Amino acid sequence: ETGGAGVHDLPNLIVVEGGGAGLTADEMQGLSIFSDVAELGGYLGGTGRAKLVWKSIMEAKNPFEDEAIHPNTRMQLLNRFEPLPQVVEKVTAGDLTTKMLVRMRDGMEIETVIIPHDSRPTAQKSLTGETAARSTLCVSSQVGCNRACVFCATGKMGFVRQLSAHEILAQVYLARQIIAQDGLPPLHNVVFMGMGEPLNNLKHVTKAAEVMADHQCFSVGSSRVTISSVGPSPAIIRASAQLPALLAWSVHAADEETRKKLVPTTAHTMVQLRDAYLEALESRSKGRSTFMVAVTLIEGVNDSQQHALDLIQLLLPFQESSKCKGVMVDLIPYNDIGFGFEGGPNFGRTEHDKIREFQIAIRKAGFPCFVRVTRGDDSSAACGQLATSSIKSKTK
């Protein structure tokens, strides 16, 4: 959905032959070491064994090899459980943003990005003004994406397959290993803003988010997991209300014509999608009714004052709802992927002063509005730049 970086150039996509390519996420999902303690304990013959596996995971060790785990349990893991995906390439940008190329057992590849922050206020320290270094992890939910956003490298890949919950959670595990090895700030929050449209993989994304938030597992906390979507349909949006995470909507343009150009798969009006999100938020607890709206600003496409006014009009019902805790607008300066509208010039990034004018208009309407600091663009790890060489197998 919000895509990212290309370790491989898109024009040189390769075909992954055989090796399980084309399997569904359910078919790819064997027993997972990332199951919650109760489920894992059922597989291993006791929650005590499951807790030891999770202790190994949280210490950034390999449970399949960790000698602190009983040999019989390790043998079960080796014989019955899904193997761990592997980091086959790691690229670190000048700002220490770290992009991992992760290969699954069928040879398919995804990208995951660790974004370290030197100084950010934590929820506990926001009142005192104290800050703490921490890292954000941007995870992928699919290999490729079928939403076809024209400004996103993942959208240019097309859809290949869903990721299983195991493969999504493995990204957290692998990132925690790299954070420990490279001395990066500790993992604080997870965003589903990598490759893929999370709401088109709702079953596995839900399971993964539950395990991320579980205090006996990764213990990230549901308020520190954000699931971002373009909003494929009102029905899927309403179904997302049950997700144990905060919700974010990648709007990109509020008027129908521009939105359809940027997200060609848009099949519903923006009002229909907006009303579905409003309904979803009003059914959630107060703690999960905070909502983020993202707009990638592209020079001359969706960055005018009229576009800002259209966005304000679209969002006013959230402001008027007594059950919606608040809406924050996130402005994302476009990151170059070497594409534009068909037959036209490549897209360009909106100038800083124009972004600032857009931000002021949104803030004057009463919406908190922030401009995202571009991170990792020198290593193609920034928002909108993620893509890999994986593509559907043509093996018959």
Side-chain angles (χ1 to χ4, degrees):
E1 171 265 332
T2 54
V7 168
H8 306 278
D9 294 331
L10 282 172
N12 299 316
L13 293 178
I14 62 171
V15 175
V16 178
E17 299 288 354
L23 295 178
T24 67
D26 286 328
E27 290 169 334
M28 288 299 300
Q29 175 85 72
L31 297 184
S32 173
I33 62 168
F34 303 120
S35 302
D36 62 50
V37 167
E39 184 179 354
L40 187 58
Y43 299 146
L44 296 177
T47 57
R49 296 174 183 178
K51 288 177 180 178
L52 280 176
V53 171
W54 270 106
K55 183 174 185 291
S56 180
I57 290 169
M58 292 304 288
E59 290 176 351
K61 298 177 181 177
N62 184 341
F64 293 89
E65 301 173 354
D66 188 355
E67 293 185 359
I69 296 173
H70 194 279
N72 289 345
T73 302
R74 293 206 310 275
M75 187 63 66
Q76 285 193 70
L77 296 180
L78 288 168
N79 291 336
R80 301 176 59 207
F81 282 72
E82 185 78 14
L84 291 169
Q86 301 295 313
V87 176
V88 294
E89 189 167 352
K90 184 182 77 168
V91 179
T92 302
D95 60 9
L96 298 183
T97 295
T98 302
K99 180 179 64 176
M100 306 181 296
L101 181 66
V102 179
R103 182 174 296 157
M104 273 75 67
R105 70 180 174 98
D106 63 349
M108 293 292 176
E109 296 171 346
I110 54 171
E111 292 186 331
T112 307
V113 182
I114 304 166
I115 308 166
H117 307 279
D118 288 335
S119 183
R120 281 268 181 108
T122 64
Q124 293 81 7
K125 297 180 179 180
S126 59
L127 294 178
T128 64
E130 295 180 66
T131 60
R134 63 197 200 190
S135 291
T136 294
L137 179 65
C138 181
V139 299
S140 296
S141 57
Q142 297 176 320
V143 184
C145 183
N146 67 357
R147 306 322 299 175
C149 299
V150 297
F151 52 87
C152 176
T154 310
K156 299 295 182 181
M157 287 179 61
F159 174 73
V160 181
R161 73 165 174 86
Q162 308 284 17
L163 295 184
S164 67
H166 174 82
E167 291 166 333
I168 296 170
L169 291 164
Q171 296 171 67
V172 182
Y173 166 76
L174 294 169
R176 294 183 83 260
Q177 282 192 320
I178 287 176
I179 286 170
Q181 292 165 5
D182 293 358
L184 297 174
L187 179 64
H188 184 265
N189 58 304
V190 178
V191 294
F192 283 76
M193 298 181 183
M195 296 171 62
E197 167 49 65
L199 297 194
N200 283 148
N201 189 15
L202 193 57
K203 174 184 174 181
H204 293 279
V205 166
T206 300
K207 176 66 174 176
E210 288 171 349
V211 174
M212 287 178 195
D214 192 327
H215 73 280
Q216 291 186 298
C217 300
F218 283 114
S219 194
V220 176
S222 60
S223 65
R224 292 189 278 121
V225 177
T226 300
I227 297 174
S228 180
S229 169
V230 297
S233 73
I236 293 175
I237 291 169
R238 293 187 189 98
S240 74
Q242 46 78 38
L243 283 165
L246 299 181
L247 301 179
W249 183 19
S250 294
V251 171
H252 304 308
D255 70 282
E256 305 296 341
E257 182 181 359
T258 307
R259 217 297 173 132
K260 185 72 175 176
K261 287 180 179 178
L262 293 174
V263 188
T265 55
T266 300
H268 303 272
T269 69
M270 296 304 286
V271 169
Q272 288 172 328
L273 298 178
R274 187 270 317 278
D275 289 349
Y277 265 118
L278 190 58
E279 184 178 331
L281 291 169
E282 289 181 339
S283 70
R284 289 161 68 86
S285 66
K286 201 71 173 176
R288 291 183 185 171
S289 64
T290 301
F291 189 49
M292 186 176 78
V293 169
V295 179
T296 298
L297 290 178
I298 304 171
E299 176 64 34
V301 175
N302 64 344
D303 58 355
S304 71
Q305 284 296 290
Q306 185 59 52
H307 288 116
L309 294 175
D310 290 341
L311 181 63
I312 291 165
Q313 286 300 121
L314 182 70
L315 300 182
L316 282 177
F318 293 106
Q319 202 175 62
E320 295 162 358
S321 171
S322 60
K323 295 183 179 179
C324 186
K325 187 176 179 180
V327 175
M328 181 190 75
V329 177
D330 187 26
L331 302 180
I332 307 169
Y334 169 72
N335 295 302
D336 184 37
I337 62 166
F339 288 96
F341 290 126
E342 188 173 354
N346 289 350
F347 293 132
R349 178 179 293 182
T350 299
E351 294 182 359
H352 175 77
D353 289 348
K354 201 169 183 180
I355 293 175
R356 178 63 176 159
E357 290 171 3
F358 198 107
Q359 179 187 31
I360 289 171
I362 301 299
R363 285 184 168 177
K364 282 183 177 179
F367 296 100
C369 183
F370 303 91
V371 178
R372 188 180 300 185
V373 176
T374 299
R375 302 290 303 275
D377 56 332
D378 58 336
S379 63
S380 294
C383 182
Q385 293 181 316
L386 297 178
T388 70
S389 59
S390 294
I391 195 167
K392 279 183 182 176
S393 171
K394 292 181 171 61
T395 303
K396 299 298 183 184

